[in-house]
Amino acid sequence: MKIPHLGRRALLFFASLLFALYVLAPIGWLVSSSFQSEAEITSVPPHWIPDHPTLENFATIFTAKDKVVTYENRKEGDTATGGFIPSTAKNLLPSMWNSLVVAVAVVILNLLVSVPAAYALAKIRFIGRDSSIYFMLTTRVIPDIALVVPFFLFVQQLGLLDSKLSLIITYLAITVPFSTFILTGYFESLPDDLDKAARVDGCSRFQTLTLVYLPLALPSLVAVVLFTFLTSWNEFLLALMFTQTLASQTMPIVVASFTSDFNISFSFINAAGVLAIVPPVVVAIMFERYIVSGLTAGAVKG
């Protein structure tokens, strides 16, 4: 017996609502707890809405360079962190800047490499073309942890340990193959007649790519930008292995250092987490109209 149309829509609505709550609940708790004191955030039952909202958690982040409170000299009644500020708190903002520099550099270099490569694979016929495409895709099957030692030896031989350049190089090795695969599928979905017409009109391969195909490939380019930016912004393992000082450490490494064996400030960590998600959210909002079409670009040929 078929469910009436109205019933199906209601069922779909409630299923979507449950899924949205499942996805957004952790983010909602992160934001809510960042405005709570340490005493309130650890209370039972937990408070989804702060009884006494405070901005001290965020203020502490911006003033941590001038005031570092440890367990031994904690202040009574500190509503921000319960009297404990991690000694690495002053490193959060510089590490976010390092993450931003690395992510932007990887995005730009990734596009400079993957766009011409994808165009060549999609529109230029040569021996081994199909094998090249699938070989690049198989590189993403290898887990990142299996590449740590080869990457480390490579970076060490170049003398780039503890530098942002080491992260840029390794992140490119991770993101370029998948970006090229996505863009190749999208370029293949565009008519070959466009390429032929541009060539007849006297355009070079570079002019055909930049003047004809790139404007049409904007949704796919946005998907690649988002994928590359988020991968670089959130990556932890390689950054942990290749960086040791504040000059190159990225945001995930510094946030992880806020935990210790004896003391931990949940409110401070959650406030840092809220600041950490701001750049990806801003990027997603800027390109929101292209996200869905970009993620499905090249998925269907014809």
Side-chain angles (χ1 to χ4, degrees):
M1 182 177 180
K2 293 184 177 181
I3 303 177
H5 179 67
L6 183 60
R8 288 200 304 270
R9 295 189 62 180
L11 182 62
L12 180 62
F13 172 78
F14 284 111
S16 301
L17 182 61
L18 288 176
F19 180 75
L21 289 175
Y22 175 78
V23 173
L24 296 177
I27 300 176
W29 172 249
L30 178 71
V31 175
S32 174
S33 58
S34 67
F35 293 99
Q36 299 180 25
S37 65
E38 192 69 17
E40 187 174 1
I41 197 176
T42 55
S43 63
V44 179
H47 298 172
W48 282 91
I49 300 177
D51 291 337
H52 305 286
T54 176
L55 293 174
E56 289 297 324
N57 299 313
F58 297 97
T60 302
I61 292 176
F62 291 97
T63 60
K65 182 177 296 186
D66 305 319
K67 180 188 66 174
V68 177
V69 180
T70 61
Y71 183 77
E72 288 76 13
N73 63 349
R74 60 185 177 181
K75 296 166 60 178
E76 293 294 334
D78 187 350
T79 59
T81 59
F84 176 75
I85 302 174
S87 60
T88 54
K90 61 183 181 296
N91 299 339
L92 179 61
L93 295 181
S95 70
M96 291 185 66
W97 173 252
N98 290 341
S99 290
L100 185 62
V101 170
V102 170
V104 171
V106 173
V107 167
I108 295 174
L109 294 175
N110 181 76
L111 291 177
L112 291 177
V113 174
S114 60
V115 169
Y119 171 73
L121 290 170
K123 298 304 178 183
I124 301 176
R125 307 303 175 193
F126 56 89
I127 298 175
R129 170 184 169 274
D130 293 337
S131 300
S132 300
I133 295 175
Y134 290 109
F135 175 76
M136 285 190 303
L137 185 61
T138 55
T139 60
R140 296 306 307 131
V141 179
I142 304 174
D144 291 344
I145 194 171
L147 301 174
V148 169
V149 173
F151 278 155
F152 182 86
L153 295 177
F154 175 74
V155 170
Q156 186 182 45
Q157 289 297 318
L158 293 177
L160 296 177
L161 285 177
D162 197 26
S163 69
K164 292 189 282 291
L165 185 57
S166 65
L167 299 180
I168 293 173
I169 293 174
T170 52
Y171 292 170
L172 284 173
I174 294 173
T175 58
V176 165
F178 188 74
S179 300
T180 302
F181 180 80
I182 291 293
L183 291 172
T184 299
Y186 192 84
F187 284 143
E188 285 182 337
S189 68
L190 299 176
D192 291 339
D193 293 341
L194 293 174
D195 185 71
K196 295 177 181 178
R199 299 287 289 168
V200 169
D201 289 340
C203 290
S204 64
R205 287 290 187 184
F206 179 76
Q207 290 173 322
T208 302
L209 171 62
T210 56
L211 300 179
V212 178
Y213 281 101
L214 282 187
L216 298 175
L218 186 58
S220 185
L221 292 176
V222 169
V224 168
V225 168
L226 289 174
F227 162 75
T228 305
F229 184 88
L230 294 177
T231 300
S232 304
W233 181 264
N234 295 323
E235 202 282 324
F236 177 81
L237 179 61
L238 296 177
L240 178 64
M241 296 296 297
F242 298 158
T243 62
Q244 289 85 37
T245 65
L246 183 59
S248 59
Q249 283 183 332
T250 54
M251 178 269 305
I253 307 303
V254 173
V255 172
S257 70
F258 290 164
T259 62
S260 68
D261 294 334
F262 304 102
N263 298 287
I264 181 172
S265 174
F266 296 105
S267 56
F268 186 86
I269 292 177
N270 290 342
V274 171
L275 291 181
I277 66 175
V278 169
V281 169
V282 170
V283 172
I285 291 175
M286 289 173 57
F287 299 111
E288 181 270 337
R289 59 179 296 187
Y290 300 105
I291 291 177
V292 175
S293 59
L295 292 176
T296 59
V300 179
K301 295 182 181 180

